[in-house]
Amino acid sequence: MKIGIGNDHSALELKAEIIEFLKEKGHEVVDFGTKSSESCDYPKYGEAVGRAVAAKEVDCGILICGTGLGISLAANKVKGVRAAVCSEPFTAKMSRAHNNCNVLAFGARVVGAELAKMIVEVWLDTEFEGGRHQRRVDMIMDIENGEE
Ligand code: RB5
């Protein structure tokens, strides 16, 4: 898979570990930054990954800030993005199986590297179940499209 990754200053080290993990698993990774430890504004990186996912330049996205919250909120403002903050594997699995999320977010100040890798692995390995869940995801996207 081609995976876009983005982060703020709080997540530089964790991002490096996740990139290595993804590459070991045979994925291609596009790093949208930040690549610096200087304090920065997470919306920029959430938006960049969100836009790449929406434009299908990458298959999916992974975002990391302190909590995963701010950067996922920014990505979710991009039309077509469904980003979920997941701090444990069960939510990560369900965010794919039921919500067909195309962006995974988590917090470098919340999860350790090994737990983050478990979250990433289960998220990438889980398929969307479709069926009744497709209708519900469509309803979410209708809100975004301004339809009732
Ligand atoms: C940065 O200090 C912090 O606010 C950011 O990483 C993130 O947690 C925001 O949601």
PDB file of all heavy atoms in Angstrom, residues 30-71:
ATOM      1  N   VAL A  30       4.806   7.941   2.094  1.00  0.00           N
ATOM      2  CA  VAL A  30       5.058   9.320   1.683  1.00  0.00           C
ATOM      3  C   VAL A  30       4.962  10.178   2.943  1.00  0.00           C
ATOM      4  O   VAL A  30       3.914  10.219   3.606  1.00  0.00           O
ATOM      5  CB  VAL A  30       4.020   9.809   0.641  1.00  0.00           C
ATOM      6  CG1 VAL A  30       4.365  11.213   0.171  1.00  0.00           C
ATOM      7  CG2 VAL A  30       3.937   8.836  -0.531  1.00  0.00           C
ATOM      8  N   ASP A  31       6.050  10.838   3.276  1.00  0.00           N
ATOM      9  CA  ASP A  31       6.128  11.622   4.516  1.00  0.00           C
ATOM     10  C   ASP A  31       5.795  13.087   4.227  1.00  0.00           C
ATOM     11  O   ASP A  31       6.577  13.798   3.587  1.00  0.00           O
ATOM     12  CB  ASP A  31       7.532  11.485   5.096  1.00  0.00           C
ATOM     13  CG  ASP A  31       7.673  12.163   6.443  1.00  0.00           C
ATOM     14  OD1 ASP A  31       6.728  12.834   6.893  1.00  0.00           O
ATOM     15  OD2 ASP A  31       8.757  12.018   7.050  1.00  0.00           O
ATOM     16  N   PHE A  32       4.663  13.542   4.728  1.00  0.00           N
ATOM     17  CA  PHE A  32       4.210  14.912   4.501  1.00  0.00           C
ATOM     18  C   PHE A  32       4.720  15.874   5.582  1.00  0.00           C
ATOM     19  O   PHE A  32       4.331  17.027   5.613  1.00  0.00           O
ATOM     20  CB  PHE A  32       2.676  14.956   4.428  1.00  0.00           C
ATOM     21  CG  PHE A  32       2.126  14.363   3.154  1.00  0.00           C
ATOM     22  CD1 PHE A  32       1.920  13.006   3.035  1.00  0.00           C
ATOM     23  CD2 PHE A  32       1.838  15.173   2.059  1.00  0.00           C
ATOM     24  CE1 PHE A  32       1.420  12.441   1.860  1.00  0.00           C
ATOM     25  CE2 PHE A  32       1.348  14.630   0.873  1.00  0.00           C
ATOM     26  CZ  PHE A  32       1.137  13.261   0.780  1.00  0.00           C
ATOM     27  N   GLY A  33       5.571  15.382   6.488  1.00  0.00           N
ATOM     28  CA  GLY A  33       6.129  16.232   7.528  1.00  0.00           C
ATOM     29  C   GLY A  33       5.192  16.392   8.711  1.00  0.00           C
ATOM     30  O   GLY A  33       4.098  15.812   8.703  1.00  0.00           O
ATOM     31  N   THR A  34       5.616  17.140   9.660  1.00  0.00           N
ATOM     32  CA  THR A  34       6.829  17.909   9.741  1.00  0.00           C
ATOM     33  C   THR A  34       8.052  16.999   9.908  1.00  0.00           C
ATOM     34  O   THR A  34       7.936  15.917  10.492  1.00  0.00           O
ATOM     35  CB  THR A  34       6.756  18.924  10.894  1.00  0.00           C
ATOM     36  OG1 THR A  34       7.923  19.736  10.918  1.00  0.00           O
ATOM     37  CG2 THR A  34       6.640  18.234  12.243  1.00  0.00           C
ATOM     38  N   LYS A  35       9.161  17.522   9.443  1.00  0.00           N
ATOM     39  CA  LYS A  35      10.387  16.747   9.592  1.00  0.00           C
ATOM     40  C   LYS A  35      11.321  17.433  10.591  1.00  0.00           C
ATOM     41  O   LYS A  35      12.481  17.061  10.720  1.00  0.00           O
ATOM     42  CB  LYS A  35      11.050  16.585   8.219  1.00  0.00           C
ATOM     43  CG  LYS A  35      10.160  15.746   7.287  1.00  0.00           C
ATOM     44  CD  LYS A  35      10.690  15.637   5.874  1.00  0.00           C
ATOM     45  CE  LYS A  35       9.676  14.861   5.025  1.00  0.00           C
ATOM     46  NZ  LYS A  35      10.011  14.797   3.615  1.00  0.00           N
ATOM     47  N   SER A  36      10.788  18.443  11.281  1.00  0.00           N
ATOM     48  CA  SER A  36      11.586  19.224  12.221  1.00  0.00           C
ATOM     49  C   SER A  36      11.008  19.092  13.632  1.00  0.00           C
ATOM     50  O   SER A  36       9.807  18.861  13.797  1.00  0.00           O
ATOM     51  CB  SER A  36      11.546  20.692  11.783  1.00  0.00           C
ATOM     52  OG  SER A  36      11.782  21.544  12.875  1.00  0.00           O
ATOM     53  N   SER A  37      11.869  19.253  14.626  1.00  0.00           N
ATOM     54  CA  SER A  37      11.391  19.173  16.012  1.00  0.00           C
ATOM     55  C   SER A  37      10.914  20.530  16.525  1.00  0.00           C
ATOM     56  O   SER A  37      10.476  20.660  17.663  1.00  0.00           O
ATOM     57  CB  SER A  37      12.496  18.619  16.917  1.00  0.00           C
ATOM     58  OG  SER A  37      13.617  19.457  16.816  1.00  0.00           O
ATOM     59  N   GLU A  38      10.994  21.550  15.682  1.00  0.00           N
ATOM     60  CA  GLU A  38      10.506  22.883  16.095  1.00  0.00           C
ATOM     61  C   GLU A  38       8.996  22.886  16.192  1.00  0.00           C
ATOM     62  O   GLU A  38       8.311  22.264  15.363  1.00  0.00           O
ATOM     63  CB  GLU A  38      10.922  23.920  15.046  1.00  0.00           C
ATOM     64  CG  GLU A  38      12.237  24.552  15.372  1.00  0.00           C
ATOM     65  CD  GLU A  38      12.604  25.655  14.396  1.00  0.00           C
ATOM     66  OE1 GLU A  38      11.718  26.479  14.066  1.00  0.00           O
ATOM     67  OE2 GLU A  38      13.762  25.655  13.972  1.00  0.00           O
ATOM     68  N   SER A  39       8.492  23.604  17.158  1.00  0.00           N
ATOM     69  CA  SER A  39       7.045  23.679  17.353  1.00  0.00           C
ATOM     70  C   SER A  39       6.360  24.140  16.060  1.00  0.00           C
ATOM     71  O   SER A  39       6.810  25.086  15.408  1.00  0.00           O
ATOM     72  CB  SER A  39       6.742  24.666  18.484  1.00  0.00           C
ATOM     73  OG  SER A  39       5.355  24.719  18.696  1.00  0.00           O
ATOM     74  N   CYS A  40       5.298  23.456  15.683  1.00  0.00           N
ATOM     75  CA  CYS A  40       4.617  23.766  14.427  1.00  0.00           C
ATOM     76  C   CYS A  40       3.106  23.629  14.616  1.00  0.00           C
ATOM     77  O   CYS A  40       2.637  23.237  15.687  1.00  0.00           O
ATOM     78  CB  CYS A  40       5.101  22.820  13.316  1.00  0.00           C
ATOM     79  SG  CYS A  40       4.612  21.121  13.605  1.00  0.00           S
ATOM     80  N   ASP A  41       2.376  23.934  13.569  1.00  0.00           N
ATOM     81  CA  ASP A  41       0.910  23.909  13.633  1.00  0.00           C
ATOM     82  C   ASP A  41       0.385  22.654  12.939  1.00  0.00           C
ATOM     83  O   ASP A  41       0.475  22.513  11.714  1.00  0.00           O
ATOM     84  CB  ASP A  41       0.339  25.168  12.966  1.00  0.00           C
ATOM     85  CG  ASP A  41       0.801  26.424  13.689  1.00  0.00           C
ATOM     86  OD1 ASP A  41       0.940  26.378  14.925  1.00  0.00           O
ATOM     87  OD2 ASP A  41       1.032  27.449  13.021  1.00  0.00           O
ATOM     88  N   TYR A  42      -0.186  21.763  13.739  1.00  0.00           N
ATOM     89  CA  TYR A  42      -0.631  20.455  13.216  1.00  0.00           C
ATOM     90  C   TYR A  42      -1.678  20.520  12.097  1.00  0.00           C
ATOM     91  O   TYR A  42      -1.720  19.604  11.264  1.00  0.00           O
ATOM     92  CB  TYR A  42      -1.146  19.562  14.360  1.00  0.00           C
ATOM     93  CG  TYR A  42      -2.249  20.178  15.177  1.00  0.00           C
ATOM     94  CD1 TYR A  42      -3.543  20.235  14.705  1.00  0.00           C
ATOM     95  CD2 TYR A  42      -1.980  20.746  16.425  1.00  0.00           C
ATOM     96  CE1 TYR A  42      -4.549  20.835  15.439  1.00  0.00           C
ATOM     97  CE2 TYR A  42      -2.981  21.351  17.160  1.00  0.00           C
ATOM     98  CZ  TYR A  42      -4.267  21.389  16.668  1.00  0.00           C
ATOM     99  OH  TYR A  42      -5.255  21.994  17.382  1.00  0.00           O
ATOM    100  N   PRO A  43      -2.548  21.574  11.998  1.00  0.00           N
ATOM    101  CA  PRO A  43      -3.548  21.535  10.913  1.00  0.00           C
ATOM    102  C   PRO A  43      -2.935  21.419   9.522  1.00  0.00           C
ATOM    103  O   PRO A  43      -3.509  20.783   8.621  1.00  0.00           O
ATOM    104  CB  PRO A  43      -4.313  22.854  11.089  1.00  0.00           C
ATOM    105  CG  PRO A  43      -4.171  23.177  12.537  1.00  0.00           C
ATOM    106  CD  PRO A  43      -2.763  22.736  12.881  1.00  0.00           C
ATOM    107  N   LYS A  44      -1.773  22.034   9.338  1.00  0.00           N
ATOM    108  CA  LYS A  44      -1.097  22.005   8.041  1.00  0.00           C
ATOM    109  C   LYS A  44      -0.816  20.559   7.592  1.00  0.00           C
ATOM    110  O   LYS A  44      -1.017  20.202   6.423  1.00  0.00           O
ATOM    111  CB  LYS A  44       0.223  22.779   8.189  1.00  0.00           C
ATOM    112  CG  LYS A  44       1.073  22.838   6.970  1.00  0.00           C
ATOM    113  CD  LYS A  44       2.313  23.702   7.244  1.00  0.00           C
ATOM    114  CE  LYS A  44       3.312  23.533   6.110  1.00  0.00           C
ATOM    115  NZ  LYS A  44       4.576  24.218   6.413  1.00  0.00           N
ATOM    116  N   TYR A  45      -0.401  19.738   8.513  1.00  0.00           N
ATOM    117  CA  TYR A  45      -0.010  18.363   8.167  1.00  0.00           C
ATOM    118  C   TYR A  45      -1.232  17.443   8.066  1.00  0.00           C
ATOM    119  O   TYR A  45      -1.269  16.542   7.232  1.00  0.00           O
ATOM    120  CB  TYR A  45       1.046  17.869   9.169  1.00  0.00           C
ATOM    121  CG  TYR A  45       2.201  18.840   9.204  1.00  0.00           C
ATOM    122  CD1 TYR A  45       2.305  19.800  10.213  1.00  0.00           C
ATOM    123  CD2 TYR A  45       3.120  18.863   8.168  1.00  0.00           C
ATOM    124  CE1 TYR A  45       3.324  20.745  10.215  1.00  0.00           C
ATOM    125  CE2 TYR A  45       4.149  19.808   8.151  1.00  0.00           C
ATOM    126  CZ  TYR A  45       4.237  20.747   9.171  1.00  0.00           C
ATOM    127  OH  TYR A  45       5.240  21.696   9.151  1.00  0.00           O
ATOM    128  N   GLY A  46      -2.215  17.737   8.909  1.00  0.00           N
ATOM    129  CA  GLY A  46      -3.472  16.983   8.797  1.00  0.00           C
ATOM    130  C   GLY A  46      -4.144  17.249   7.462  1.00  0.00           C
ATOM    131  O   GLY A  46      -4.641  16.336   6.795  1.00  0.00           O
ATOM    132  N   GLU A  47      -4.131  18.508   7.067  1.00  0.00           N
ATOM    133  CA  GLU A  47      -4.742  18.872   5.777  1.00  0.00           C
ATOM    134  C   GLU A  47      -3.967  18.240   4.614  1.00  0.00           C
ATOM    135  O   GLU A  47      -4.569  17.709   3.674  1.00  0.00           O
ATOM    136  CB  GLU A  47      -4.779  20.396   5.612  1.00  0.00           C
ATOM    137  CG  GLU A  47      -5.403  20.788   4.279  1.00  0.00           C
ATOM    138  CD  GLU A  47      -5.380  22.294   4.010  1.00  0.00           C
ATOM    139  OE1 GLU A  47      -4.827  23.051   4.830  1.00  0.00           O
ATOM    140  OE2 GLU A  47      -5.918  22.683   2.954  1.00  0.00           O
ATOM    141  N   ALA A  48      -2.642  18.293   4.682  1.00  0.00           N
ATOM    142  CA  ALA A  48      -1.823  17.761   3.570  1.00  0.00           C
ATOM    143  C   ALA A  48      -2.096  16.275   3.351  1.00  0.00           C
ATOM    144  O   ALA A  48      -2.303  15.827   2.206  1.00  0.00           O
ATOM    145  CB  ALA A  48      -0.339  17.995   3.868  1.00  0.00           C
ATOM    146  N   VAL A  49      -2.123  15.519   4.428  1.00  0.00           N
ATOM    147  CA  VAL A  49      -2.388  14.075   4.289  1.00  0.00           C
ATOM    148  C   VAL A  49      -3.834  13.854   3.855  1.00  0.00           C
ATOM    149  O   VAL A  49      -4.112  13.033   2.972  1.00  0.00           O
ATOM    150  CB  VAL A  49      -2.067  13.328   5.607  1.00  0.00           C
ATOM    151  CG1 VAL A  49      -2.557  11.891   5.555  1.00  0.00           C
ATOM    152  CG2 VAL A  49      -0.562  13.370   5.875  1.00  0.00           C
ATOM    153  N   GLY A  50      -4.747  14.618   4.436  1.00  0.00           N
ATOM    154  CA  GLY A  50      -6.158  14.492   4.050  1.00  0.00           C
ATOM    155  C   GLY A  50      -6.361  14.751   2.568  1.00  0.00           C
ATOM    156  O   GLY A  50      -7.071  13.995   1.885  1.00  0.00           O
ATOM    157  N   ARG A  51      -5.727  15.778   2.055  1.00  0.00           N
ATOM    158  CA  ARG A  51      -5.873  16.097   0.620  1.00  0.00           C
ATOM    159  C   ARG A  51      -5.280  14.995  -0.263  1.00  0.00           C
ATOM    160  O   ARG A  51      -5.831  14.661  -1.311  1.00  0.00           O
ATOM    161  CB  ARG A  51      -5.239  17.452   0.293  1.00  0.00           C
ATOM    162  CG  ARG A  51      -6.004  18.615   0.909  1.00  0.00           C
ATOM    163  CD  ARG A  51      -5.852  19.912   0.146  1.00  0.00           C
ATOM    164  NE  ARG A  51      -6.547  20.996   0.851  1.00  0.00           N
ATOM    165  CZ  ARG A  51      -7.851  21.216   0.799  1.00  0.00           C
ATOM    166  NH1 ARG A  51      -8.626  20.442   0.062  1.00  0.00           N
ATOM    167  NH2 ARG A  51      -8.409  22.204   1.478  1.00  0.00           N
ATOM    168  N   ALA A  52      -4.177  14.435   0.166  1.00  0.00           N
ATOM    169  CA  ALA A  52      -3.550  13.345  -0.609  1.00  0.00           C
ATOM    170  C   ALA A  52      -4.446  12.109  -0.622  1.00  0.00           C
ATOM    171  O   ALA A  52      -4.569  11.435  -1.645  1.00  0.00           O
ATOM    172  CB  ALA A  52      -2.180  13.015  -0.024  1.00  0.00           C
ATOM    173  N   VAL A  53      -5.086  11.838   0.499  1.00  0.00           N
ATOM    174  CA  VAL A  53      -6.006  10.687   0.572  1.00  0.00           C
ATOM    175  C   VAL A  53      -7.223  10.957  -0.312  1.00  0.00           C
ATOM    176  O   VAL A  53      -7.624  10.103  -1.110  1.00  0.00           O
ATOM    177  CB  VAL A  53      -6.434  10.413   2.034  1.00  0.00           C
ATOM    178  CG1 VAL A  53      -7.568   9.401   2.093  1.00  0.00           C
ATOM    179  CG2 VAL A  53      -5.241   9.919   2.853  1.00  0.00           C
ATOM    180  N   ALA A  54      -7.793  12.141  -0.188  1.00  0.00           N
ATOM    181  CA  ALA A  54      -8.996  12.476  -0.962  1.00  0.00           C
ATOM    182  C   ALA A  54      -8.714  12.443  -2.461  1.00  0.00           C
ATOM    183  O   ALA A  54      -9.569  12.036  -3.261  1.00  0.00           O
ATOM    184  CB  ALA A  54      -9.520  13.849  -0.537  1.00  0.00           C
ATOM    185  N   ALA A  55      -7.518  12.866  -2.851  1.00  0.00           N
ATOM    186  CA  ALA A  55      -7.136  12.888  -4.274  1.00  0.00           C
ATOM    187  C   ALA A  55      -6.648  11.518  -4.754  1.00  0.00           C
ATOM    188  O   ALA A  55      -6.268  11.376  -5.917  1.00  0.00           O
ATOM    189  CB  ALA A  55      -6.039  13.926  -4.498  1.00  0.00           C
ATOM    190  N   LYS A  56      -6.629  10.547  -3.851  1.00  0.00           N
ATOM    191  CA  LYS A  56      -6.168   9.182  -4.137  1.00  0.00           C
ATOM    192  C   LYS A  56      -4.699   9.146  -4.584  1.00  0.00           C
ATOM    193  O   LYS A  56      -4.287   8.268  -5.350  1.00  0.00           O
ATOM    194  CB  LYS A  56      -7.078   8.486  -5.156  1.00  0.00           C
ATOM    195  CG  LYS A  56      -8.531   8.412  -4.692  1.00  0.00           C
ATOM    196  CD  LYS A  56      -9.312   7.343  -5.408  1.00  0.00           C
ATOM    197  CE  LYS A  56     -10.795   7.346  -5.081  1.00  0.00           C
ATOM    198  NZ  LYS A  56     -11.110   7.204  -3.662  1.00  0.00           N
ATOM    199  N   GLU A  57      -3.948  10.126  -4.111  1.00  0.00           N
ATOM    200  CA  GLU A  57      -2.493  10.089  -4.363  1.00  0.00           C
ATOM    201  C   GLU A  57      -1.846   9.027  -3.481  1.00  0.00           C
ATOM    202  O   GLU A  57      -0.749   8.548  -3.761  1.00  0.00           O
ATOM    203  CB  GLU A  57      -1.877  11.454  -4.038  1.00  0.00           C
ATOM    204  CG  GLU A  57      -2.253  12.535  -5.030  1.00  0.00           C
ATOM    205  CD  GLU A  57      -2.005  13.935  -4.486  1.00  0.00           C
ATOM    206  OE1 GLU A  57      -1.290  14.081  -3.480  1.00  0.00           O
ATOM    207  OE2 GLU A  57      -2.550  14.881  -5.083  1.00  0.00           O
ATOM    208  N   VAL A  58      -2.501   8.728  -2.366  1.00  0.00           N
ATOM    209  CA  VAL A  58      -2.076   7.641  -1.477  1.00  0.00           C
ATOM    210  C   VAL A  58      -3.313   6.798  -1.173  1.00  0.00           C
ATOM    211  O   VAL A  58      -4.451   7.254  -1.347  1.00  0.00           O
ATOM    212  CB  VAL A  58      -1.452   8.181  -0.168  1.00  0.00           C
ATOM    213  CG1 VAL A  58      -0.144   8.903  -0.427  1.00  0.00           C
ATOM    214  CG2 VAL A  58      -2.425   9.096   0.564  1.00  0.00           C
ATOM    215  N   ASP A  59      -3.097   5.572  -0.717  1.00  0.00           N
ATOM    216  CA  ASP A  59      -4.235   4.683  -0.445  1.00  0.00           C
ATOM    217  C   ASP A  59      -4.923   5.023   0.876  1.00  0.00           C
ATOM    218  O   ASP A  59      -6.123   4.807   1.031  1.00  0.00           O
ATOM    219  CB  ASP A  59      -3.758   3.223  -0.399  1.00  0.00           C
ATOM    220  CG  ASP A  59      -3.182   2.794  -1.746  1.00  0.00           C
ATOM    221  OD1 ASP A  59      -3.867   3.004  -2.763  1.00  0.00           O
ATOM    222  OD2 ASP A  59      -2.055   2.270  -1.778  1.00  0.00           O
ATOM    223  N   CYS A  60      -4.148   5.501   1.826  1.00  0.00           N
ATOM    224  CA  CYS A  60      -4.712   5.874   3.123  1.00  0.00           C
ATOM    225  C   CYS A  60      -3.692   6.739   3.850  1.00  0.00           C
ATOM    226  O   CYS A  60      -2.578   6.935   3.346  1.00  0.00           O
ATOM    227  CB  CYS A  60      -5.054   4.625   3.946  1.00  0.00           C
ATOM    228  SG  CYS A  60      -3.637   3.596   4.327  1.00  0.00           S
ATOM    229  N   GLY A  61      -4.088   7.238   5.031  1.00  0.00           N
ATOM    230  CA  GLY A  61      -3.196   8.144   5.754  1.00  0.00           C
ATOM    231  C   GLY A  61      -3.047   7.775   7.217  1.00  0.00           C
ATOM    232  O   GLY A  61      -3.938   7.154   7.809  1.00  0.00           O
ATOM    233  N   ILE A  62      -1.918   8.167   7.774  1.00  0.00           N
ATOM    234  CA  ILE A  62      -1.676   8.004   9.212  1.00  0.00           C
ATOM    235  C   ILE A  62      -1.208   9.355   9.745  1.00  0.00           C
ATOM    236  O   ILE A  62      -0.316   9.981   9.165  1.00  0.00           O
ATOM    237  CB  ILE A  62      -0.612   6.914   9.483  1.00  0.00           C
ATOM    238  CG1 ILE A  62      -1.143   5.542   9.031  1.00  0.00           C
ATOM    239  CG2 ILE A  62      -0.235   6.889  10.968  1.00  0.00           C
ATOM    240  CD1 ILE A  62      -0.160   4.389   9.206  1.00  0.00           C
ATOM    241  N   LEU A  63      -1.850   9.809  10.827  1.00  0.00           N
ATOM    242  CA  LEU A  63      -1.543  11.118  11.401  1.00  0.00           C
ATOM    243  C   LEU A  63      -1.199  10.971  12.879  1.00  0.00           C
ATOM    244  O   LEU A  63      -1.879  10.242  13.609  1.00  0.00           O
ATOM    245  CB  LEU A  63      -2.744  12.050  11.248  1.00  0.00           C
ATOM    246  CG  LEU A  63      -3.104  12.436   9.817  1.00  0.00           C
ATOM    247  CD1 LEU A  63      -4.426  13.199   9.792  1.00  0.00           C
ATOM    248  CD2 LEU A  63      -1.991  13.282   9.196  1.00  0.00           C
ATOM    249  N   ILE A  64      -0.193  11.689  13.301  1.00  0.00           N
ATOM    250  CA  ILE A  64       0.221  11.621  14.710  1.00  0.00           C
ATOM    251  C   ILE A  64       0.512  13.036  15.216  1.00  0.00           C
ATOM    252  O   ILE A  64       1.321  13.753  14.633  1.00  0.00           O
ATOM    253  CB  ILE A  64       1.505  10.772  14.908  1.00  0.00           C
ATOM    254  CG1 ILE A  64       1.527   9.544  13.988  1.00  0.00           C
ATOM    255  CG2 ILE A  64       1.632  10.359  16.371  1.00  0.00           C
ATOM    256  CD1 ILE A  64       2.875   8.794  13.992  1.00  0.00           C
ATOM    257  N   CYS A  65      -0.188  13.429  16.267  1.00  0.00           N
ATOM    258  CA  CYS A  65       0.196  14.647  16.990  1.00  0.00           C
ATOM    259  C   CYS A  65       0.280  14.251  18.459  1.00  0.00           C
ATOM    260  O   CYS A  65       0.465  13.076  18.776  1.00  0.00           O
ATOM    261  CB  CYS A  65      -0.747  15.810  16.705  1.00  0.00           C
ATOM    262  SG  CYS A  65      -2.456  15.589  17.253  1.00  0.00           S
ATOM    263  N   GLY A  66       0.145  15.200  19.374  1.00  0.00           N
ATOM    264  CA  GLY A  66       0.267  14.844  20.788  1.00  0.00           C
ATOM    265  C   GLY A  66      -0.819  13.872  21.221  1.00  0.00           C
ATOM    266  O   GLY A  66      -0.563  12.866  21.878  1.00  0.00           O
ATOM    267  N   THR A  67      -2.049  14.190  20.827  1.00  0.00           N
ATOM    268  CA  THR A  67      -3.201  13.359  21.198  1.00  0.00           C
ATOM    269  C   THR A  67      -3.818  12.619  20.019  1.00  0.00           C
ATOM    270  O   THR A  67      -4.643  11.732  20.213  1.00  0.00           O
ATOM    271  CB  THR A  67      -4.307  14.250  21.778  1.00  0.00           C
ATOM    272  OG1 THR A  67      -4.639  15.234  20.786  1.00  0.00           O
ATOM    273  CG2 THR A  67      -3.862  14.939  23.069  1.00  0.00           C
ATOM    274  N   GLY A  68      -3.514  13.063  18.809  1.00  0.00           N
ATOM    275  CA  GLY A  68      -4.188  12.564  17.603  1.00  0.00           C
ATOM    276  C   GLY A  68      -5.423  13.385  17.274  1.00  0.00           C
ATOM    277  O   GLY A  68      -5.979  13.257  16.172  1.00  0.00           O
ATOM    278  N   LEU A  69      -5.836  14.228  18.216  1.00  0.00           N
ATOM    279  CA  LEU A  69      -7.104  14.936  18.034  1.00  0.00           C
ATOM    280  C   LEU A  69      -7.021  16.078  17.022  1.00  0.00           C
ATOM    281  O   LEU A  69      -7.760  16.109  16.038  1.00  0.00           O
ATOM    282  CB  LEU A  69      -7.594  15.477  19.387  1.00  0.00           C
ATOM    283  CG  LEU A  69      -8.031  14.405  20.390  1.00  0.00           C
ATOM    284  CD1 LEU A  69      -8.253  15.016  21.773  1.00  0.00           C
ATOM    285  CD2 LEU A  69      -9.294  13.714  19.901  1.00  0.00           C
ATOM    286  N   GLY A  70      -6.149  17.034  17.287  1.00  0.00           N
ATOM    287  CA  GLY A  70      -6.104  18.216  16.425  1.00  0.00           C
ATOM    288  C   GLY A  70      -5.831  17.869  14.978  1.00  0.00           C
ATOM    289  O   GLY A  70      -6.493  18.371  14.049  1.00  0.00           O
ATOM    290  N   ILE A  71      -4.881  16.995  14.776  1.00  0.00           N
ATOM    291  CA  ILE A  71      -4.467  16.660  13.406  1.00  0.00           C
ATOM    292  C   ILE A  71      -5.578  15.879  12.674  1.00  0.00           C
ATOM    293  O   ILE A  71      -5.782  16.037  11.480  1.00  0.00           O
ATOM    294  CB  ILE A  71      -3.106  15.910  13.447  1.00  0.00           C
ATOM    295  CG1 ILE A  71      -2.370  16.040  12.124  1.00  0.00           C
ATOM    296  CG2 ILE A  71      -3.242  14.468  13.916  1.00  0.00           C
ATOM    297  CD1 ILE A  71      -0.874  15.763  12.212  1.00  0.00           C
TER     298      ILE A  71
END
